[in-house]
Amino acid sequence: MATQLPRLLPLLLFLPFFHIAASTSPSGLHPVVLLPDTTCSQLEARLTDAYVPPSPQCAAHHKDHDGRWFRLWKNTTELDDPAVAPCVADQLRLVFDHVAGDYRNVPGVETRVLDFGSTRGFLADEPANRNRCMGRLVEALEELGYRDGENLFGAPYDFRQSPVALGQPCRAFSRYRQRLRALVEHASRANGDRPVVLVSHSEGGYFALEFLNRSPLPWRRRHIKHFVMASTGAGGFVRFMEVVASCVSDVSPLARVRRSVPSKFTPLPSPKVFDRDTPLVVTRDKNYTAHDMPAFLAAAGLPEFEVTLYETRELPMAMNFRAPVVPTTCINGIGVPTAEKLVYWDGNFGEAPEIVYGDGDGLVNSASILALDTVIGDDPMQQYYKSIKIAGMYHAGVISDGVALERLISEILRESFVQDSKKVDYRRVAQL
Ligand SMILES: *[C@@H]1O[C@H](CO)[C@@H](O)[C@H](O)[C@H]1NC(C)=O
Ligand SMILES: *[C@@H]1O[C@H](CO)[C@@H](O)[C@H](O)[C@H]1NC(C)=O
């Protein structure tokens, strides 16, 4: 299958030739807007007098900032310093404002994403995050003639927040939707009114999909040429239950941050995809399926009001995962051992569980990936849907591995959307 496609990567190796070819016709490209994975977006912060540092030591540290914007996420130097990390974590955490019914920063902390509109603010400048945070994808696009700020744009988001159910207050997501809408319109206008290709990876998919679903249909049809969603399943993934369980007992500064933010709920396995008969967490006394999530969260130690927040803000959102009704291609890895069941035999959720593996991309379960075909593909409103499943490809490999990247880029460049088969390329690996 892959051999029938334009062989882009060999071209990339012959960069000088290709550069010339690309730069003579840059106008032929559709503008691309990228939404990266969680924690790939960076955040800046500014402190006001209302901020109360958690310790005298932190107070001394914060004096340096003197009312200026500074890099809150991610400053590895500070996070690696045990004296400073708790100070940073205190500013990174969110609190739930019961009056407003919404999550917000700690009083006295203002935040904004770094470089909205550009891909330069992604954390890909850290070698360890280059592949995961679209570094190689951006490079490959630039080698094809894409230019940051001209026809290539980044839509970083505050990864601590999450899209929530309609009717629930969420200032962060409302504001993000407005900015992304303006960015898409600008990208299109600046490129001869060509509609935009929206490309997301992992957590970015939730933001992109909900952004689309809340935009008026005529707007979507006018402005979005193609939505390419990489490595996002229709129903979250099992391993995330461990993330939530561990941040309750873990007392490290960053675990405190994770615990405080609503995005800790976003990719929890959803009852839309995982059935009532499949235990995802097993203990001696009780098993938990995706339908028992509130009971699991309570057993893991989350206070009752937070469990309620999951039920009112996040669960309806997960159940509402639906077709964006613009041409959509989902591209996922499959055939990589993936946690399918977590065994906490003694019911101690603070300990590492024993893991039973099944199929998926190493993080997202195949059940969640396959459900895209029904949830999006079978929606009668969805006119063009294609699912590409790459055997043996892991979660971040979909946007960084040579073969997968070639496939991804050929989809980004796709000109026409004639529906042949909606579900291609699924080659199940016989034995894991
Ligand atoms: C990270 O923190 C260190 C120490 O506080 C500071 O010197 C440096 O400028 C910060 N880096 C960024 C990118 O703000
Ligand atoms: C939990 O599920 C396992 C199978 O995964 C089953 O063998 C066991 O009996 C179940 N335990 C309870 C308490 O229901």
Side-chain angles (χ1 to χ4, degrees):
M1 193 70 203
T3 53
Q4 296 163 10
L5 291 157
R7 306 296 297 184
L8 292 172
L9 280 203
L11 285 175
L12 300 185
L13 300 176
F14 295 100
L15 182 60
F17 301 106
F18 203 68
H19 244 14
I20 294 161
S23 60
T24 54
S25 59
S27 55
L29 298 168
H30 281 266
V32 169
V33 176
L34 304 180
L35 282 78
D37 193 4
T38 184
T39 70
C40 290
S41 304
Q42 304 203 63
L43 304 173
E44 293 184 306
R46 184 165 68 177
L47 305 178
T48 69
D49 291 341
Y51 181 64
V52 183
S55 71
Q57 201 175 18
C58 288
H61 174 71
H62 297 146
K63 281 216 179 67
D64 302 348
H65 297 312
D66 200 24
R68 283 173 296 111
W69 288 99
F70 62 95
R71 189 79 56 88
L72 179 60
W73 180 266
K74 187 184 176 185
N75 188 324
T76 311
T77 317
E78 296 193 331
L79 289 168
D80 285 348
D81 181 344
V84 181
C87 312
V88 177
D90 188 65
Q91 295 160 8
L92 260 177
R93 75 196 162 92
L94 293 178
V95 290
F96 188 73
D97 179 339
H98 289 269
V99 176
D102 197 3
Y103 284 89
R104 59 167 172 73
N105 285 315
V106 170
V109 178
E110 290 170 27
T111 52
R112 65 182 186 195
V113 293
L114 176 71
D115 255 347
F116 186 83
S118 168
T119 62
R120 301 287 178 234
F122 297 176
L123 206 52
D125 61 350
E126 260 189 27
N129 287 307
R130 191 169 108 91
N131 288 354
R132 191 180 71 84
C133 294
M134 296 184 155
R136 291 204 56 192
L137 173 60
V138 166
E139 234 169 69
L141 288 169
E142 288 179 342
E143 284 165 9
L144 288 165
Y146 275 99
R147 293 290 170 263
D148 192 72
E150 290 175 21
N151 48 11
L152 176 60
F153 303 88
Y157 53 90
D158 186 337
F159 55 86
R160 302 171 302 167
Q161 300 277 358
S162 58
V164 296
L166 271 174
Q168 293 286 328
C170 185
R171 268 173 308 171
F173 186 60
S174 305
R175 182 160 158 62
Y176 181 72
R177 285 198 297 127
Q178 286 168 13
R179 294 188 87 185
L180 182 50
R181 181 178 170 139
L183 178 64
V184 166
E185 289 173 359
H186 164 78
S188 176
R189 224 174 14 248
N191 287 277
D193 281 336
R194 284 195 182 83
V196 166
V197 182
L198 203 58
V199 183
S200 68
H201 181 244
S202 194
E203 183 90 354
Y206 294 102
F207 283 79
L209 188 61
E210 195 55 21
F211 163 73
L212 289 172
N213 280 331
R214 292 209 197 167
S215 300
L217 199 48
W219 186 92
R220 276 181 255 175
R221 296 213 159 116
R222 158 76 187 78
H223 291 94
I224 305 295
K225 175 179 166 66
H226 192 187
F227 173 35
V228 181
M229 187 168 76
S231 301
T232 304
F237 56 93
V238 173
R239 193 73 195 254
F240 205 72
M241 295 173 85
E242 181 188 352
V243 173
V244 176
S246 70
C247 75
V248 176
S249 55
D250 186 341
V251 294
S252 72
L254 280 185
R256 278 188 60 212
V257 175
R258 269 200 297 280
R259 187 184 165 156
S260 73
V261 302
S263 56
K264 68 171 174 289
F265 295 127
T266 312
L268 280 172
S270 133
K272 184 162 187 139
V273 164
F274 293 88
D275 62 40
R276 272 177 203 289
D277 303 322
T278 313
L280 306 179
V281 164
V282 173
T283 73
R284 185 190 292 117
D285 300 328
K286 188 170 166 40
N287 289 343
Y288 301 89
T289 71
H291 297 256
D292 307 315
M293 201 56 72
F296 169 75
L297 295 173
L302 284 193
E304 199 180 313
F305 90 90
E306 281 208 75
V307 177
T308 305
L309 289 178
Y310 163 77
E311 292 175 297
T312 52
R313 288 170 70 92
E314 311 291 335
L315 182 58
M317 189 67 239
M319 296 307 282
N320 206 18
F321 194 103
R322 64 197 189 282
V325 197
V326 291
T328 298
T329 298
C330 295
I331 175 160
N332 296 80
I334 201 101
V336 179
T338 302
E340 196 166 80
K341 214 185 283 292
L342 309 173
V343 182
Y344 293 93
W345 194 242
D346 293 325
N348 182 351
F349 295 117
E351 280 173 8
E354 198 182 302
I355 293 171
V356 179
Y357 288 91
D359 190 9
D361 72 359
L363 194 63
V364 180
N365 305 91
S366 59
S368 195
I369 294 168
L370 294 176
L372 293 164
D373 293 348
T374 44
V375 172
I376 300 181
D378 292 348
D379 188 314
M381 291 281 284
Q382 182 68 36
Q383 284 168 6
Y384 178 91
Y385 166 78
K386 184 157 130 187
S387 167
I388 298 169
K389 301 173 184 87
I390 306 175
M393 191 53 61
Y394 62 102
H395 193 72
V398 171
I399 56 159
S400 59
D401 173 89
V403 171
L405 198 54
E406 177 183 349
R407 198 65 218 270
L408 175 62
I409 288 192
S410 73
E411 290 307 324
I412 293 173
L413 298 179
R414 175 176 296 284
E415 273 302 322
S416 70
F417 299 95
V418 180
Q419 188 76 67
D420 33 28
S421 158
K422 285 188 172 187
K423 297 152 199 175
V424 295
D425 255 13
Y426 182 50
R427 288 165 291 161
R428 200 181 174 85
V429 174
Q431 280 297 321
L432 294 173

